[in-house]
Amino acid sequence: AIVFVAVWLIKRYGDITKITTDEYTLVPCGILVGVGVLIFITALFGCCGTCSDNKCCLSTVSFCESIIQ
């Protein structure tokens, strides 16, 4: 949902004339896209690691979660 909202805002305010005005909407949208992709990759490692009982994937998820907290 985060990525969807961010992409929608980028599409809505993506005109170059609106970037140069006082409305800085693309920077927060880029941050939201980055956070959404990070959450997706972490969840993907968690699902794959749980399904296959892979210690490397589960360690990666634990490491990412420990950094976030």
Side-chain angles (χ1 to χ4, degrees):
I2 293 174
V3 175
F4 175 75
V5 170
V7 170
W8 176 74
L9 287 172
I10 288 172
K11 290 286 186 183
R12 185 168 180 205
Y13 296 109
D15 190 17
I16 192 70
T17 58
K18 294 192 181 202
I19 295 172
T20 57
T21 62
D22 290 337
E23 297 179 30
Y24 294 107
T25 56
L26 289 180
V27 174
C29 293
I31 292 171
L32 284 176
V33 168
V35 168
V37 167
L38 182 65
I39 290 171
F40 176 75
I41 290 172
T42 304
L44 183 67
F45 274 120
C47 289
C48 292
T50 302
C51 290
S52 64
D53 291 331
N54 190 346
K55 282 188 172 184
C56 181
C57 287
L58 293 175
S59 298
T60 303
V61 171
S62 296
F63 178 73
C64 289
E65 288 178 357
S66 67
I67 288 176
I68 292 171
Q69 293 178 359

